[in-house]
Amino acid sequence: MATSAGLLLPLLLLGQPWAGAGAPREAVVCAGNACYTAHWGKLSAAEAQSHCSKNGGNLATVKSEEEAWHIQRALAQLLELEEALEARMGKFWIGLQREKGKCLDSSLPLKGFSWVGGGEDTLYTNWNREVRSSCISRRCVSLLLYLSLPSHASHLPKWSEGPCGSPNSPGSNIEGFVCKFSFKGMCQPLALGGPGRVEYRTPFQATSSSLDTVPFASVANVACGDGDEGREHYFLCKEKASDVFDWGSSGPLCVSPKYGCSFNNGGCQQDCFEGGDGSFRCGCRPGFRLLDDLVTCASRNPCSSNPCKGAATCVLGPHRKNYTCLCPQGYQLDSNQQDCVDVDECLDSPCPQECVNTPGGFHCECWVGYEPRGPGEEACQDVDECAPGHSPCAQGCTNTDGSFYCSCKKGYVLAKEDGTQCLDVDECEGLEHGLCEGLCLNTQGSFRCSCLPGWELGPDGVSCTTGFTSLAPQTGPPQGEDMGDREGNLVYSSTISRPTRDSEGTSKEASTMKSPSLPSEAPTTLTVPDMLAHSGPPGEWMEPSTHHPKATTDRGENMDEDSMSKQSDNGTDGQKLLLFYILGTVIAILLLLALALGLLVYRKRKAKREEEKEKKPQNAADSYSWAPERAENRALENQYSPTPGTDC
């Protein structure tokens, strides 16, 4: 039979190192439009990728369960070449890696890893355990399997991720790697009609005598005969037409009248018919037709070979000469027009709010703060977070479109934690506000003003004036939103008017209205002394005359509320105030007595000092005495006489 190559091709092939009987066989599996090769070698992931790329491939991808089984077959062939393998775990690199600085993404099937040869993120995974969350180093994936063949052949190898290794340290338990080579088409294996041997050499430098499909541009060496005396033929897998690949040969190879159809069915795919002179020919069954190689049969129904993949359905064309693949609703054909991919319906914004794409469909969801109008409805309505019994706010709640916000009553502010709780405002904190001239008592949601003993609260409810304190309770209760809570801080104001005395001891009121004991630049907050706060049974509170400094409008709005408070507190508060006023009067009298006693002591001491002063000498001359007058006259008479009785 004539060869399909020219005269130059046999000469080139003679120098090729064909795999002989003693040469090691490579583990090669070809299926679809790809071939997978398994190799031994303790290499790093980078070195393994370099080995694959030199022959035009990459580290293998495992994008589907079907592809995982092809790789499993290649690994099984590789393990068959070794004898007495230990039943231990071994790892083989594949082309799934994650670069340094790229972190784990648990929302994706591949966890942030990507295929070395490129391509989209695939749904198929077979992780051995949870992927480690690491961003500081490059991570690579290997296939984890038992090296003993029986245990390995029963299941698909798991994925294990770890460091990618280095030339001197390939990694723990790394035994080899798997490469993948893709082609534009495949040829069917050559059929032998008599004794002979076929060796295929692939473009990626692998040799094999048993391939399910042979990749494009492979060379086949056919040696016919029972021994070495047979003839050799060389064939090349080439593209005959668009998507049609053939060896260019016709009829079975190595036919022999000696064997006829008895040897390998004459090399025919279906039927073999013998002639009377020892010749034979191939035929096909009904519904099939013989192809140009006179060996292979093809169905007259194009869909009989299942050309459509996945969820696609094959539909015959006119005159049953061609076919078309159709996809179910929610899917569309891929670029090869033979498989189906999901359609992202959310790109057309079919939902009023949130759209979630699913395989073959989608569903609508509502945003936070909204809910569906009814079961099975896509329309969303606002959720009333402020509904009675469901409000998250401590006081006021205002519903908004898709949300809400909280508010507080006067005298309170929102807490900073979550904005739903209210905290009391201490109006008495910081005397610079000047709320009260006397004492300031903070209450829940409000405050009160009062005065020291001997002073009474003015009509404005803020200032303190001198005078006798009324023993009767106030005509109206102190204003405030929470009158039952008496806890708070008493604060002395820096503007209390106090009595002063002039130089003659006369009492009069100071016109400056300032307290000499509390400077304005250092406001002080004082708690009520025990002697003022507790003068009766436990739980009773004695207060000075108080009045709330509310605006006129606020007092008008709360008039009804004040009247009710007056009636309820008239008995208890009146007794408390009466006791407080009596105690204040007693203290004031004691203070006046102490002042009078001090003044009396002072005057006595002053009189004593004046009496002692009168007893003291008036000047320095009081300690001297004058000489007698006679002696002085004699001295004047003898002033110029040196001796008595002389004239000179």
Side-chain angles (χ1 to χ4, degrees):
M1 304 180 77
T3 63
S4 61
L7 296 177
L8 182 59
L9 181 60
L11 296 178
L12 294 175
L13 296 176
L14 289 176
Q16 298 295 331
W18 290 94
R25 297 174 58 194
E26 290 193 66
V28 183
V29 172
C30 293
N33 288 337
C35 291
Y36 306 87
T37 60
H39 306 266
W40 294 103
K42 295 182 178 295
L43 304 177
S44 66
E47 291 174 323
Q49 170 61 21
S50 177
H51 184 280
C52 296
S53 61
K54 286 180 180 179
N55 295 321
N58 291 297
L59 285 173
T61 61
V62 193
K63 297 183 177 181
S64 63
E65 185 176 353
E66 181 182 7
E67 192 170 27
W69 282 111
H70 297 328
I71 295 176
Q72 190 268 354
R73 287 175 53 200
L75 291 171
Q77 289 183 15
L78 184 68
L79 298 178
E80 287 177 351
L81 301 178
E82 300 293 330
E83 296 180 359
L85 288 172
E86 298 179 7
R88 59 187 177 87
M89 301 298 291
K91 296 180 179 179
F92 292 80
W93 293 121
I94 59 175
L96 191 59
Q97 301 176 2
R98 191 177 68 198
E99 297 300 325
K100 178 180 179 180
K102 188 175 182 180
C103 300
L104 171 72
D105 189 348
S106 57
S107 63
L108 300 176
L110 296 184
K111 311 300 183 183
F113 287 79
S114 58
W115 298 110
V116 174
E120 299 178 355
D121 195 6
T122 52
L123 297 178
Y124 175 78
T125 60
N126 195 17
W127 296 104
N128 181 50
R129 62 181 63 179
E130 288 295 327
V131 179
R132 179 181 177 185
S133 179
S134 173
C135 309
I136 60 175
S137 62
R138 189 163 171 258
R139 310 287 289 182
C140 297
V141 178
S142 57
L143 297 179
L144 184 66
L145 70 157
Y146 287 100
L147 297 183
S148 57
L149 181 60
S151 60
H152 166 71
S154 61
H155 65 276
L156 293 174
K158 294 285 187 177
W159 296 5
S160 174
E161 66 92 21
C164 298
S166 61
N168 297 328
S169 178
S172 177
N173 297 330
I174 295 298
E175 300 293 342
F177 55 96
V178 182
C179 298
K180 178 182 178 180
F181 306 90
S182 300
F183 300 92
K184 62 186 301 185
M186 295 283 188
C187 289
Q188 293 296 321
L190 289 171
L192 299 181
R197 178 175 55 86
V198 180
E199 289 281 349
Y200 301 103
R201 184 168 184 84
T202 64
F204 47 89
Q205 306 303 314
T207 59
S208 177
S209 59
S210 58
L211 293 177
D212 295 337
T213 58
V214 184
F216 167 68
S218 296
V219 176
N221 177 28
V222 181
C224 296
D226 296 334
D228 296 335
E229 51 208 41
R231 297 174 300 168
E232 291 188 355
H233 305 272
Y234 297 96
F235 301 94
L236 177 67
C237 177
K238 54 187 178 180
E239 187 174 12
K240 183 177 181 181
S242 178
D243 295 332
V244 177
F245 297 87
D246 195 6
W247 296 101
S249 63
S250 59
L253 299 175
C254 302
V255 294
S256 171
K258 178 181 177 181
Y259 297 99
C261 293
S262 62
F263 185 90
N264 194 26
N265 195 37
C268 301
Q269 185 181 28
Q270 290 187 359
D271 297 330
C272 179
F273 302 98
E274 294 185 354
D277 54 356
S279 62
F280 62 89
R281 61 182 181 85
C282 297
C284 297
R285 299 165 189 166
F288 293 86
R289 58 185 180 87
L290 190 65
L291 298 182
D292 294 341
D293 61 1
L294 303 180
V295 174
T296 308
C297 295
S299 174
R300 296 185 182 276
N301 181 1
C303 294
S304 61
S305 60
N306 298 322
C308 300
K309 302 177 182 179
T313 303
C314 183
V315 178
L316 289 174
H319 308 292
R320 303 172 64 90
K321 291 184 179 180
N322 51 23
Y323 67 92
T324 301
C325 296
L326 296 180
C327 294
Q329 185 177 3
Y331 294 87
Q332 62 183 5
L333 289 173
D334 61 3
S335 57
N336 296 327
Q337 301 297 306
Q338 291 183 337
D339 201 353
C340 295
V341 294
D342 177 57
V343 176
D344 189 357
E345 294 86 354
C346 293
L347 297 177
D348 298 331
S349 302
C351 300
Q353 290 188 357
E354 188 74 19
C355 177
V356 179
N357 184 58
T358 59
F362 70 97
H363 67 270
C364 298
E365 293 182 354
C366 295
W367 297 331
V368 177
Y370 295 86
E371 62 184 1
R373 292 188 180 274
E377 294 188 16
E378 296 180 355
C380 299
Q381 64 181 3
D382 174 58
V383 176
D384 186 4
E385 293 88 354
C386 299
H390 300 281
S391 175
C393 303
Q395 293 185 5
C397 180
T398 303
N399 184 56
T400 61
D401 192 14
S403 185
F404 70 97
Y405 65 88
C406 300
S407 59
C408 297
K409 300 177 183 178
K410 190 172 183 179
Y412 295 86
V413 293
L414 283 174
K416 296 181 179 179
E417 288 76 8
D418 56 1
T420 61
Q421 304 301 314
C422 294
L423 295 178
D424 174 56
V425 176
D426 188 357
E427 293 86 355
C428 299
E429 183 178 2
L431 293 178
E432 65 275 5
H433 298 113
L435 297 176
C436 302
E437 286 189 356
L439 301 177
C440 181
L441 176 63
N442 181 58
T443 62
Q444 285 293 324
S446 185
F447 69 97
R448 301 181 182 186
C449 293
S450 61
C451 299
L452 291 173
W455 302 75
E456 65 179 9
L457 197 64
D460 58 358
V462 174
S463 61
C464 293
T465 60
T466 59
F468 294 101
T469 305
S470 175
L471 299 181
Q474 293 182 216
T475 57
Q479 298 181 15
E481 296 180 7
D482 188 1
M483 308 306 295
D485 192 347
R486 299 283 183 170
E487 296 181 358
N489 293 330
L490 276 174
V491 180
Y492 287 102
S493 173
S494 60
T495 59
I496 302 175
S497 72
R498 298 182 179 275
T500 60
R501 291 183 178 272
D502 56 11
S503 59
E504 297 179 1
T506 303
S507 175
K508 64 179 182 178
E509 182 178 287
S511 60
T512 57
M513 301 294 288
K514 294 184 179 178
S515 173
S517 61
L518 294 175
S520 59
E521 63 272 15
T524 306
T525 301
L526 303 176
T527 57
V528 180
D530 293 339
M531 63 179 293
L532 296 177
H534 301 281
S535 61
E540 292 189 1
W541 174 263
M542 303 301 298
E543 292 184 338
S545 177
T546 61
H547 186 70
H548 193 287
K550 291 290 184 178
T552 303
T553 55
D554 294 340
R555 296 182 61 184
E557 293 174 359
N558 298 328
M559 187 62 67
D560 296 338
E561 187 176 351
D562 291 345
S563 300
M564 295 177 63
S565 176
K566 176 181 177 181
Q567 295 176 3
S568 62
D569 296 344
N570 188 23
T572 304
D573 289 349
Q575 294 177 3
K576 292 181 180 179
L577 290 174
L578 179 59
L579 291 175
F580 182 78
Y581 293 151
I582 294 174
L583 181 60
T585 303
V586 172
I587 293 175
I589 294 173
L590 292 176
L591 290 176
L592 292 176
L593 291 176
L595 182 61
L597 180 60
L599 181 61
L600 180 60
V601 173
Y602 171 74
R603 287 185 175 183
K604 286 184 177 182
R605 289 183 179 179
K606 184 177 180 181
K608 185 177 181 180
R609 285 196 299 269
E610 290 178 354
E611 183 179 353
E612 291 176 353
K613 185 177 181 182
E614 290 176 357
K615 293 179 181 181
K616 291 182 180 180
Q618 298 298 323
N619 51 56
D622 293 340
S623 59
Y624 296 89
S625 62
W626 295 98
E629 184 179 356
R630 185 181 58 182
E632 182 180 358
N633 294 335
R634 285 200 304 266
L636 293 174
E637 292 175 355
N638 297 331
Q639 182 176 7
Y640 299 102
S641 179
T643 57
T646 62
D647 297 332
C648 300

